[in-house]
Structure formats: structure tokens, C-alpha cells
């Protein structure tokens, strides 16, 4: 048994030797195997680890919301004096949403699409606080205001599809808080959110916790979020806690080899130019026969005892770690020192001259129609005069919040959405003037990796068929045998077994599906790839593998990337050039070291300030992330950023700034920059 103990006050939530089983009792699988921890009032325990380690299943067991066929096979879960593991479902309904509440990972699928926001909050108020009618409506409005949603009275009558991702997440928080819970479980509450919205959500949770004295169980794979929010940390691997301790001690010196590997996989500016460390293999599958340490097959410090004997939890000061290396009876000091990283940087990219892509004044305006005759009453200016250049063989990162027009710009360049104006030159051709027939041969040269590989891969086609489809459509390889060999080579190149070609997309993990999407783009030998959030919501270990793969492919084939993302840590590691986009326009662009090392535009500084950092001295953003992005249907007058800018002057409210050249490569649109 391992117990994650905390200082006073006494625990609100206590989990002892929790074991969860799925499937038939005769052949069960155990995603949670002997987990123990305590959670006191006013503190946050962060459970970290890769997907498949059992973090979410632990939370669902605490809520008694296990999937069909799931059960608590052993151990106990106590909320105060209530034994949750033994309560009947009728009693759990009184506790769930009242004393114990949960924010689920994906608000878009957790919110009821056919119920208004007010009705969904009202369900909790009626069930747990016996509020009806106008008092319930008033309380729902107060809760929306408390979580920072503007114009809460109007939002109560809206449906989830009318809200942005950040607003949907805040509605989920409002629903969770409606019953005034003692313990809040937050399962990946900021996954795939912009850094600014993420910062606002995290600050909101910290503020509400401090005001209400809640205990919080935070489930995440983002170590930056852990650094900002957690008081205590528990690292999970293959259903077990492998390391526990205080946040300060964990970040100062992680003990378990798995914890160290998670830190080494994080992209940073210091690692620019060399490959990231990666974790070989995968988390053991459920139902695998395991002997010895469950991390042994992936551990760089493995020795003979690790493969034969299961390690116990050992105390190291105030922390605990499940590893033979820290067994006081058999520890070998030489083995405690982590090995030096052996990863090597890919060679330099082929020297290419000129610009792979040159864009001037790109516009994408969507008409807004109303009335019986569908007259045009306005335009959504999703992309409004964007100019950028992608150098040959290099990476331009296009960064900004969701809704600023990044993805629309990328799709317009490939004519996946129609452009309203501007120019885009590639290889001596004006892309925006070509007909669909003229575009056909260029599809080989220009490819796109979409943000969500699961929705962009045909679920009815096998992986081999998906890769072959593009080659057949574009006439890349006429010979069937040569196509088959090329498919095998592509799968091996992106780190997948060629034998997987006969599987369907649903049989792969998220990281593997993203590799398939990359292989599909490479199948037709492109020279420029638009990468739309290719690492969004991936574990840090899988993210490191994808980033290494993109770097290697660029070095090997001289590829150019237009890399669309809101993850500035990835930009700092991968990009050669950066363009910052806000409400359809580029507000700052230049070399990566110029834009990220010395940001001039207040919006760029706001984005950088919102990034959760491992060495952050402050655990909040102190109001640096102000408000939400305005609607592109009705942008503010003057500088579009002035309503959120703490440095705005009168001129910012009336005149849109012209481009100001800071250096030969850096341009900024801001009245405050000289």
C-alpha cells in the first residue's frame, strides 16, 4: 500500500488501496491497482502521467461513475465519514454533485446539446439545493458571473454550441460548483484550451478553492499546470502511484526514472537544435501479465531485479517512490545517477534559398445572412489582410488564440475554404487564382495535417487504404506492388509497425493516429505541409515523439512547415520564425528569438505571460490575461486589441496601427512601439 500523506488540516477525501476491475469476473483487467492518497481541505493533489495510466479511472471510481462492467474490487473511498465505495446508488446521487463534484475532460461532450445553459445549471440547483423558479435562475446567473462569463443573463438562455471552448469549460465549472462541493475533481480541465483561456480557468479554480476551502483532485499530463496549481503531486504509471511528494520537492528533484523522463520530454528553448528525449514503447496494455516493475521495459536504469521483483514504496525524506533504486536495503549509489541522454539532433536541413510560400493581404470573409430572402447583413472577417512568408526548408509558427483565424488562413492557402482576396505565391504560381483542375497537380506539393486525426481519418478505411488513397488520386505510384512497399516504408518511418496497415483508425491511440495523419501527408512527397495543432492534447511523451519526427523529416527532405498552434513551448523549440495573429490580422512577426525573446506587442507579451512554467515564481497570472477575444463579426474600432490592453492610449481606440519595422526581419503593429 502507498499513501500520499499531506499536512493538516484533516483529509476530506481518503482513498485506501483502491483496486478497480473491468470486464468479466473470471478474466478481469485492473486499470487501477492499489492506489492510496489523502486530500485535505484547501489543497490540490495533482495526478500526472500518460494516457492509460489510470488517472481518470481513479477519479471515476471516487465518483462511483465507472463504465459498464467496472467495479471497485478492493480498497475503500471515504468522503469525510461516508464510505463511498459501499453506499447504494440512491445515496450516491445525494453526494454526487453536492459534496463531491467533477469537471469532465471534454465539455463539448459533457454538456447536453439540447438544453440551455440555465437549465443545465438549474438541474443541480433543484436536486441539491431545492431552488426553483426565479431564485434558481438568479443563482445560476450569479454562478456564471462568478466563473467570469460576460453578460451572464443572456448566456443562460443560450445552448452549448453558441459558446466558445473556454466558455463551455467555465459553464462546466459553474455546474460543478452549483452544489457547493467539499471536493472538486478536475479531469484535464484545460486540455486543448488556449494559453490565455487556460490561465483564466486555472486562476479561477485557485480563487474559488481559496474562497471556499475546497479540496481539489487535479488530473493532468501538463507539468506546467501542476507547477501552477498543485500542493502535492502523485505520479501514476500502469495503475499504480510510483512517486508522491510535495510540489516543491517534485520539481526540484524527481526521483522515479519515469518522472525524470516526463521532464526530459518537455520542449524548451534550451533544447532547440537537438532531439527531445522520448519514452520508448507504451504504457502496458490492460490485462498484460506483468512481473517485476511495470516500467522496466521502458526504463533507462533497469537492472535484473526490476524484471523479476515488484518494487515496494520506499520513503525518501518526506516523499515516497516505487523503485528498487531507492530501496535502502539494496540501493546501489552508482545506479541512482540518471544516465546521460543519448538522443542526437537530426542533421541540418538541406540549404534551400528563397521562400516556399509568400502570402500578401490574404482575406477570408464569410457573409452573414438574415431574413426571409437571406440578405447579406454583414461579414465575419475571419482573416483580414494577413501577410507572411514561409522560408524554404524552415518552419513558420502561426500562433494566437482560438478564433483568431489561424486555421482558416491555413485552409484558405490550400483552397479548402475560399479566399476573399489577397495573393499567395508558391513556386511561381498564384495559388488563389488557380481553378480546381489547375490545383490538382499542386496537391502533391502542398499537404495538411489536421488538428483532430480521429475526425480526419475515414473510420471505414484501413490504414493502408488511407495512405494509398492519396497516391491513387494524385498518380504518385502507378504500380500496386510499389505502392504497398511505400506504405510499409511510410509506417516504419513514422514509428509504426507495417503490420498495422490492416487496422482501422479506432484501434490506435491518439499519438498513433497523429502519426498516421503525418504518414498520409508524406505519402505524396510534399514540399510544404500546413500543420494544424498536430500536438494538441497529446501526452508530453507522445508530443516529444511527434516533434522529433517533424524535425527529422524536415532535415531529411527539406520540408517547409506552416505550423499552426497555441502551444508556445512547442514554438520556442521547433520554429525558425513566428507570426502572432489576433482577430484576423498579424500583429507581430519575425524570427523566433526576436518575437519570443523580446516581444514588442502587448498581445504577444500576454500570450507568453499566460504559459504555465515549471519555474514560475507566481502561481497566478495576476490579471495579465484580460477578457475574451471580441467577435470578428463586430471587431472593436482602432486597434482590435485595445479593450484587453492595459497599456492602451486614446489613439489605440480610434486608429488601427500601421506596420512598424523593428529590424530587417521583425515587424510589429502597435502605436506604443517606436
Amino acid at each position: 500500500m502507498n499513501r500520499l500523506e499531506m499536512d493538516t488540516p484533516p483529509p476530506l477525501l481518503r482513498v485506501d488501496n483502491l483496486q478497480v476491475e473491468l470486464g468479466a469476473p473470471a478474466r478481469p483487467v485492473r486499470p487501477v491497482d492499489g492506489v492510496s492518497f489523502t486530500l485535505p481541505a484547501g489543497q490540490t493533489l495533482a495526478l500526472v502521467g500518460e494516457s492509460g495510466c489510470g488517472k481518470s479511472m481513479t477519479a471515476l471510481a471516487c465518483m462511483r461513475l465507472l463504465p459498464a462492467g467496472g467495479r471497485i474490487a478492493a480498497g475503500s473511498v471515504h468522503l469525510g465519514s461516508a464510505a463511498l465505495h459501499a453506499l447504494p446508488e440512491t445515496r450516491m446521487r445525494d453526494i454526487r454533485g453536492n459534496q463531491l463534484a467533477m469537471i469532465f475532460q471534454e465539455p463539448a461532450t459533457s454538456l447536453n446539446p439540447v438544453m440551455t445553459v440555465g437549465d443545465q445549471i438549474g438541474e443541480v440547483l433543484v436536486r441539491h439545493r431545492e431552488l426553483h423558479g426565479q431564485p434558481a435562475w438568479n443563482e445560476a446567473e450569479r454562478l456564471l458571473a462568478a466563473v467570469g462569463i460576460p453578460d451572464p443573463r443572456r448566456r443562460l438562455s443560450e445552448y452549448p454550441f453558441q459558446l466558445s471552448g473556454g466558455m463551455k469549460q467555465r459553464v462546466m465549472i459553474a455546474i460543478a460548483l452549483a452544489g457547493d462541493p467539499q471536493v472538486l475533481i478536475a479531469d484535464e480541465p484545460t486540455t486543448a484550451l488556449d494559453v490565455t483561456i487556460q490561465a483564466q480557468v486555472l486562476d479561477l479554480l485557485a480563487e474559488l478553492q481559496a474562497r471556499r476551502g475546497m479540496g481539489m483532485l487535479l488530473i493532468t499530463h501538463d507539468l506546467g499546470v501542476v507547477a501552477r496549481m498543485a500542493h502535492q503531486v502523485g505520479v501514476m504509471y500502469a495503475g499504480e502511484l510510483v512517486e508522491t511528494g510535495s510540489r516543491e520537492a517534485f520539481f526540484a528533484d524527481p526521483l522515479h526514472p519515469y518522472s525524470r523522463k516526463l521532464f526530459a520530454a518537455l520542449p524548451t528553448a534550451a533544447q532547440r537544435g537537438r532531439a527531445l528525449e522520448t519514452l520508448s514503447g507504451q504504457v502496458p496494455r490492460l490485462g498484460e501479465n506483468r512481473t517485476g516493475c511495470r516500467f522496466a521495459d521502458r526504463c533507462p536504469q533497469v537492472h535484473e531485479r526490476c524484471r523479476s521483483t515488484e518494487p515496494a514504496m520506499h520513503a525518501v525524506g518526506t516523499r515516497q517512490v516505487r523503485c528498487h533504486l531507492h530501496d535502502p536495503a539494496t540501493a546501489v549509489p552508482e545506479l541512482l545517477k540518471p544516465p546521460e541522454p543519448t538522443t542526437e539532433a537530426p542533421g541540418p536541413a538541406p540549404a534551400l534559398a528563397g521562400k516556399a510560400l509568400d502570402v500578401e493581404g490574404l482575406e477570408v470573409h464569410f457573409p452573414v445572412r438574415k431574413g426571409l430572402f437571406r440578405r447579406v447583413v454583414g461579414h465575419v472577417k475571419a482573416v483580414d489582410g494577413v501577410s507572411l512568408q514561409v522560408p524554404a526548408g524552415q518552419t513558420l509558427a502561426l500562433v494566437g488564440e482560438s478564433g483568431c483565424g489561424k486555421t482558416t488562413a491555413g485552409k484558405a492557402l490550400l483552397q479548402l475554404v475560399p479566399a476573399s482576396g489577397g495573393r499567395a505565391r508558391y513556386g511561381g504560381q498564384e495559388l488563389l487564382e488557380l481553378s480546381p483542375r489547375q490545383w490538382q497537380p499542386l496537391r502533391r506539393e502542398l499537404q495538411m495535417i489536421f488538428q483532430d486525426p480521429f475526425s480526419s481519418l475515414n473510420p471505414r478505411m484501413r490504414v493502408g487504404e488511407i495512405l494509398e488513397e492519396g497516391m491513387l488520386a494524385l498518380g504518385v505510384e502507378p504500380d500496386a506492388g510499389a505502392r504497398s512497399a511505400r506504405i510499409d516504408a511510410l509506417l516504419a518511418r513514422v514509428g509504426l509497425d507495417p503490420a498495422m496497415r490492416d487496422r482501422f483508425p479506432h484501434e490506435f491511440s491518439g499519438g498513433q493516429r497523429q502519426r498516421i495523419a503525418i504518414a498520409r501527408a508524406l505519402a505524396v512527397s510534399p514540399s510544404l505541409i500546413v500543420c494544424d495543432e498536430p500536438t494538441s492534447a497529446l501526452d508530453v511523451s507522445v508530443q516529444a515523439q511527434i516533434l522529433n519526427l517533424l524535425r527529422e523529416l524536415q532535415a531529411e527532405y527539406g520540408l517547409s512547415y506552416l505550423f499552426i498552434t497555441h502551444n508556445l513551448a512547442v514554438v520556442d523549440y521547433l520554429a525558425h520564425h513566428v507570426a502572432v495573429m489576433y482577430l484576423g490580422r498579424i500583429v507581430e512577426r519575425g524570427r523566433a528569438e526576436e518575437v519570443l525573446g523580446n516581444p514588442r506587442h502587448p498581445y504577444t507579451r500576454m500570450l507568453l505571460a499566460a504559459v504555465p512554467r515549471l519555474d514560475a515564481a507566481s502561481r497566478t497570472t495576476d490579471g495579465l490575461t484580460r477578457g475574451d477575444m471580441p467577435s470578428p463579426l463586430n471587431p472593436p474600432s482602432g486597434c482590435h486589441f485595445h479593450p484587453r490592453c492595459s497599456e492602451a492610449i486614446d489613439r489605440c481606440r480610434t486608429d488601427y496601427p500601421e506596420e512598424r519595422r523593428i529590424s530587417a526581419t521583425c515587424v510589429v503593429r502597435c502605436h506604443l512601439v517606436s
Side-chain angles (χ1 to χ4, degrees):
M1 180 191 300
N2 58 292
R3 169 70 58 80
L4 182 51
E5 299 289 353
M6 298 185 179
D7 297 333
T8 55
L12 290 173
L13 182 66
R14 188 174 75 255
V15 176
D16 285 304
N17 197 30
L18 178 65
Q19 294 182 2
V20 174
E21 290 184 352
L22 302 175
R27 299 184 60 185
V29 294
R30 194 171 289 168
V32 180
D33 193 8
V35 167
S36 301
F37 59 82
T38 59
L39 177 62
Q43 293 203 3
T44 298
L45 163 64
L47 291 182
V48 302
E50 296 170 282
S51 295
C53 284
K55 308 185 301 295
S56 295
M57 198 64 71
T58 300
L60 293 174
C62 293
M63 293 287 293
R64 291 277 303 277
L65 290 174
L66 291 171
R71 58 198 173 274
I72 296 177
S76 62
V77 180
H78 286 84
L79 181 65
S81 59
L84 302 185
H85 61 283
L87 290 180
E89 179 60 23
T90 53
R91 180 73 180 103
M92 276 303 302
R93 290 186 193 132
D94 294 330
I95 292 176
R96 198 183 294 130
N98 183 7
Q99 301 173 48
L100 181 65
M102 186 167 180
I103 303 169
F104 294 93
Q105 181 170 355
E106 180 48 70
T109 57
S110 301
L111 295 173
N112 192 324
V114 298
M115 290 177 65
T116 65
V117 168
D119 288 339
Q120 297 190 56
I121 299 175
E123 279 189 323
V124 182
L125 298 174
V126 170
R127 179 69 177 80
H128 296 296
R129 294 173 59 180
E130 298 183 354
L131 291 176
H132 301 267
Q134 192 60 43
W137 199 256
N138 293 339
E139 178 64 10
E141 182 182 346
R142 187 192 68 80
L143 285 165
L144 287 186
V147 297
I149 290 185
D151 197 3
R153 183 178 296 273
R154 177 171 62 88
R155 298 295 185 184
L156 286 173
S157 302
E158 294 185 344
Y159 291 87
F161 76 89
Q162 295 175 278
L163 307 178
S164 67
M167 284 189 178
K168 283 198 281 277
Q169 192 64 281
R170 292 184 216 183
V171 169
M172 283 290 301
I173 296 173
I175 294 173
L177 296 176
D180 198 15
Q182 296 174 326
V183 173
L184 181 64
I185 299 175
D187 186 4
E188 300 279 9
T190 60
T191 294
L193 292 183
D194 299 328
V195 289
T196 52
I197 302 300
Q198 174 180 260
Q200 293 173 22
V201 169
L202 293 179
D203 287 350
L204 171 64
L205 289 173
E207 176 192 345
L208 293 170
Q209 181 185 41
R211 188 177 347 133
R212 295 177 175 223
M214 294 185 304
M216 190 187 307
L217 180 62
L218 176 65
I219 296 170
T220 183
H221 60 252
D222 189 332
L223 292 176
V225 171
V226 176
R228 173 174 289 181
M229 296 292 292
H231 298 89
Q232 298 283 321
V233 180
V235 181
M236 284 195 74
Y237 185 79
E240 296 180 323
L241 281 169
V242 297
E243 182 173 351
T244 64
S246 69
R247 174 180 62 94
E248 294 79 8
F250 176 70
F251 282 91
D253 180 27
L255 298 176
H256 198 279
Y258 178 60
S259 305
R260 291 172 177 164
K261 277 290 189 180
L262 291 180
F263 276 95
L266 291 173
T268 64
Q271 292 171 304
R272 176 190 287 272
R274 62 186 181 91
L276 296 168
E277 284 196 58
T278 58
L279 275 161
S280 60
Q282 297 178 346
V283 178
R285 293 181 179 274
L286 294 178
E288 276 189 24
N289 292 323
R290 307 162 181 152
T291 57
C293 175
R294 300 180 184 187
F295 187 60
D297 291 341
R298 308 173 73 189
C299 182
Q301 295 170 268
V302 65
H303 56 282
E304 185 177 349
R305 188 183 179 202
C306 301
R307 301 189 186 279
S308 59
T309 307
E310 185 175 350
M313 269 292 202
H314 303 290
V316 180
T318 59
R319 291 185 284 171
Q320 291 185 313
V321 58
R322 188 185 297 277
C323 183
H324 290 305
L325 296 175
H326 296 276
D327 185 346
T330 59
V332 180
E334 292 77 15
L335 292 176
L336 287 175
K337 184 179 179 182
E340 293 296 324
T342 57
T343 53
E344 297 181 359
L352 301 174
K355 303 167 185 174
L357 182 67
D358 191 358
V359 181
E360 292 183 13
L362 178 66
E363 295 180 350
V364 182
H365 296 173
F366 297 106
V368 178
R369 302 177 185 274
K370 286 187 177 180
L372 180 63
F373 298 101
R374 310 299 295 162
R375 292 189 176 92
V376 176
V377 297
H379 286 84
V380 175
K381 298 181 179 180
V383 181
D384 193 22
V386 164
S387 298
L388 51 85
Q389 295 80 38
V390 182
Q394 295 190 7
T395 300
L396 168 70
L398 186 59
V399 304
E401 297 168 283
S402 293
C404 71
K406 308 185 301 296
T407 297
T408 303
K411 289 181 176 180
L413 294 174
L414 301 186
Q415 281 203 0
L416 300 179
V417 296
S420 306
R423 297 174 56 252
R425 179 175 289 274
Y426 171 81
Q429 293 182 289
E430 290 290 344
L431 299 180
L432 304 184
E433 297 177 0
L434 300 179
S435 67
R437 182 180 295 274
Q438 292 171 317
W439 246 101
Q440 189 70 6
L442 281 177
R443 295 291 179 196
R444 289 189 59 174
E445 298 290 321
L446 304 170
Q447 283 286 305
M448 186 166 188
I449 301 170
F450 295 91
Q451 179 172 358
D452 183 0
F454 191 65
S455 62
S456 65
L457 298 175
N458 191 326
R460 298 183 178 183
M461 295 177 67
R462 301 178 189 274
V463 166
E465 296 169 335
I466 290 172
L467 300 187
E468 188 178 26
E469 184 181 32
M471 290 189 276
L472 287 171
L474 298 175
V476 172
E477 185 58 69
D479 181 67
R483 287 198 305 272
S484 180
R486 183 175 176 84
I487 290 169
D488 289 345
L490 282 168
L491 289 173
R493 187 66 190 85
V494 298
L496 295 176
D497 188 343
M500 294 178 174
R501 62 184 295 164
D502 293 323
R503 296 185 188 177
F504 291 94
H506 74 270
E507 299 179 80
F508 294 87
S509 68
Q512 289 174 324
R513 284 195 288 265
Q514 195 62 279
R515 290 166 182 264
I516 294 168
I518 294 173
R520 178 177 61 181
L522 294 173
V524 294
S525 302
S527 61
L528 185 145
I529 301 179
V530 177
C531 305
D532 186 10
E533 300 277 10
T535 61
S536 176
L538 295 181
D539 296 329
V540 290
S541 56
V542 178
Q543 174 181 267
Q545 295 168 10
I546 297 297
L547 292 178
N548 283 344
L549 175 61
L550 291 174
R551 285 181 56 84
E552 291 166 7
L553 293 171
Q554 187 172 61
E556 186 173 343
Y557 300 114
L559 296 176
S560 304
Y561 297 134
L562 175 58
F563 199 90
I564 298 169
T565 185
H566 62 251
N567 189 332
L568 294 180
V570 170
V571 173
D572 211 2
Y573 168 74
L574 186 69
H576 302 90
H577 307 268
V578 178
V580 183
M581 194 168 181
Y582 185 77
L583 212 61
R585 299 180 180 180
I586 302 295
V587 296
E588 184 169 1
R589 70 176 189 267
R591 294 192 60 81
E593 55 269 24
E594 292 176 310
V595 176
L596 302 179
N598 184 24
R600 302 300 186 95
H601 199 281
Y603 178 59
T604 310
R605 293 201 293 270
M606 187 183 83
L607 290 178
L608 291 169
V611 177
R613 302 187 184 279
L614 303 187
D615 56 351
S618 171
R619 302 177 77 179
T620 68
T621 56
D622 296 325
L624 288 172
T625 54
R626 296 162 43 128
D628 293 318
M629 185 183 299
S631 168
L633 178 61
N634 186 26
S637 60
C639 175
H640 292 169
F641 185 62
H642 85 258
R644 304 172 69 187
C645 181
S646 59
E647 306 173 44
I649 58 178
D650 290 341
R651 187 181 177 191
C652 300
R653 297 174 177 86
T654 57
D655 302 329
Y656 195 86
E658 297 293 328
E659 284 191 350
R660 298 173 185 266
R661 184 163 293 279
I662 305 301
S663 69
T665 54
C666 185
V667 174
V668 182
R669 284 184 177 268
C670 181
H671 293 304
L672 304 174
V673 175
S674 60

